[in-house]
Amino acid sequence: MTLKMRTESERYVLRDATGDDVNLMLSWRNQDVNRQASKTSHVIGAEEHRRWWAAVRTDPSRRVLTYLHDGVPCGAVTFFDLRFDGPRTGSWGFYLDAEGLAERGETLPVWLAVTRAALGYAFDVLTLDRLDGEVLAHNTVVRQMNRRFRFVEGVGRTEVHDGREITVIPISLERGNRRRH
């Protein structure tokens, strides 16, 4: 499934991830900025990543997508805990090639575009009623961006991951509250 965000061009594209994307996804996920914004901050090894990829490819409650900007893969979007019986709900997350985008001065525009594309996929392709996620309390920039897209924060909870104590804040966005472009 491919979702083009602009019909007049192929500048912003979200497509199903392929085996060719796996090594890129691992390199992006292991970038320091992405590890520090994640619940698990350890460097993911090739075997751990291979097991993850093998599991998500056959799991009907998950989708892994690759985000392309100007034809260049630069992000991974994951949907998980998808439920299609009763209220249609799911959770999501994403990470970008932070280093490559920073070098090109494209971080903010791509961050906005991948979020728009992911929300389009969640509500227009998966036809979810509600999209859930999590954000770390110390990640104030992401929290501010989530509010811009009308996500609502829940009550945070303290967890321990990779030997560090973090506060995780649940977020959600109802279909009817989605900001349209």
Side-chain angles (χ1 to χ4, degrees):
M1 165 66 59
T2 299
L3 178 69
K4 294 178 185 172
M5 293 309 295
R6 295 190 177 175
T7 55
E8 72 272 10
S9 75
E10 294 198 8
R11 187 160 189 205
Y12 308 114
V13 176
L14 194 59
R15 63 159 170 78
D16 290 331
T18 68
D20 293 338
D21 299 319
V22 173
N23 289 333
L24 283 174
M25 288 187 292
L26 177 59
S27 70
W28 302 331
R29 176 56 179 81
N30 278 335
Q31 290 176 5
D32 188 58
V33 67
N34 292 326
R35 289 188 299 108
Q36 295 312 311
S38 300
K39 286 169 67 171
T40 56
S41 61
H42 69 279
V43 172
I44 296 171
E47 181 58 27
E48 179 181 357
H49 193 61
R50 186 198 63 71
R51 286 191 312 269
W52 168 82
W53 179 245
V56 300
R57 291 177 55 205
T58 59
D59 185 341
S61 71
R62 298 188 70 122
R63 304 286 185 285
V64 179
L65 308 167
T66 299
Y67 180 77
L68 292 90
H69 180 74
D70 289 334
V72 177
C74 61
V77 178
T78 61
F79 291 95
F80 51 97
D81 296 335
L82 294 170
R83 294 178 190 92
F84 300 114
D85 54 338
R88 296 174 67 89
T89 63
S91 296
W92 80 302
F94 75 91
Y95 50 91
L96 299 171
D97 175 11
E99 294 169 2
L101 292 170
E103 281 178 18
R104 297 188 301 275
E106 296 178 330
T107 303
L108 183 58
V110 170
W111 187 7
L112 291 166
V114 73
T115 302
R116 285 186 199 108
L119 295 180
Y121 190 90
F123 294 116
D124 299 335
V125 176
L126 296 173
T127 64
L128 297 181
D129 298 313
R130 188 186 75 237
L131 182 61
D132 300 315
E134 295 178 325
V135 62
L136 302 185
H138 72 265
N139 201 340
T140 56
V141 175
V142 170
R143 292 176 66 192
Q144 181 179 18
M145 185 68 73
N146 289 340
R147 285 190 291 274
R148 176 184 179 143
F149 282 95
R150 298 188 176 159
F151 279 92
V152 175
E153 290 186 350
V155 177
R157 65 189 179 281
T158 301
E159 300 178 6
V160 176
H161 292 273
D162 294 340
R164 66 185 181 142
E165 188 174 283
I166 56 174
T167 301
V168 179
I169 299 173
I171 60 170
S172 66
L173 178 61
E174 300 283 337
R175 169 189 288 284
N177 292 335
R178 172 184 175 197
R179 182 182 299 274
R180 293 262 181 194
H181 249 258

